[in-house]
Amino acid sequence: MLTELEDAFRMAIEEQAKARCHELTPFDLEVAHSVYIAGLLALEDSHCGVSQYRVVSAPTGSGKSSYALAFIWAYITAWSNSSVLFLVDTIDQADDVYKSMVSLLGK
């Protein structure tokens, strides 16, 4: 199942880059990998009943939120009965996240 998650994540970040006419750089891949690992650790925390935050430190505009959405898409793809809560500060951010997820999901 982890291979399916990893493959889906890679596909999602490539789709995001393609939609933005952007070629993934080594830095992009490093940030994406950090988000992926943080996501895996968060899943483990949830499975073990541990409540804690997972933080990915990278500059503004480096893709953390986009890669988090890619992880969510990959997770939902790998485990179709799953659900995810993605918190944002404003209605505008919620609208942006919704549009991004619709774009990734193709619906």
Side-chain angles (χ1 to χ4, degrees):
M1 207 52 115
L2 278 181
T3 300
E4 184 178 345
L5 179 65
E6 187 172 358
D7 291 346
F9 180 72
R10 180 62 185 216
M11 187 170 64
I13 65 171
E14 288 173 356
E15 183 62 33
Q16 287 173 329
K18 181 180 171 186
R20 295 176 179 148
C21 298
H22 174 76
E23 189 171 323
L24 291 169
T25 67
F27 178 74
D28 294 330
L29 295 173
E30 186 177 333
V31 174
H33 180 72
S34 294
V35 170
Y36 179 77
I37 295 300
L40 289 179
L41 292 171
L43 291 175
E44 181 180 38
D45 293 342
S46 177
H47 179 73
C48 295
V50 175
S51 298
Q52 69 179 5
Y53 290 104
R54 293 291 177 173
V55 177
V56 174
S57 180
T60 301
S62 60
K64 295 180 301 290
S65 295
S66 295
Y67 298 138
L69 293 176
F71 185 86
I72 291 168
W73 180 85
Y75 178 67
I76 290 169
T77 299
W79 290 283
S80 60
N81 289 338
S82 60
S83 63
V84 176
L85 174 65
F86 192 91
L87 299 176
V88 295
D89 291 329
T90 68
I91 290 175
D92 288 340
Q93 287 174 321
D95 191 45
D96 289 344
V97 168
Y98 174 77
K99 289 175 184 175
S100 295
M101 286 307 296
V102 166
S103 176
L104 275 174
L105 293 170
K107 296 181 182 178

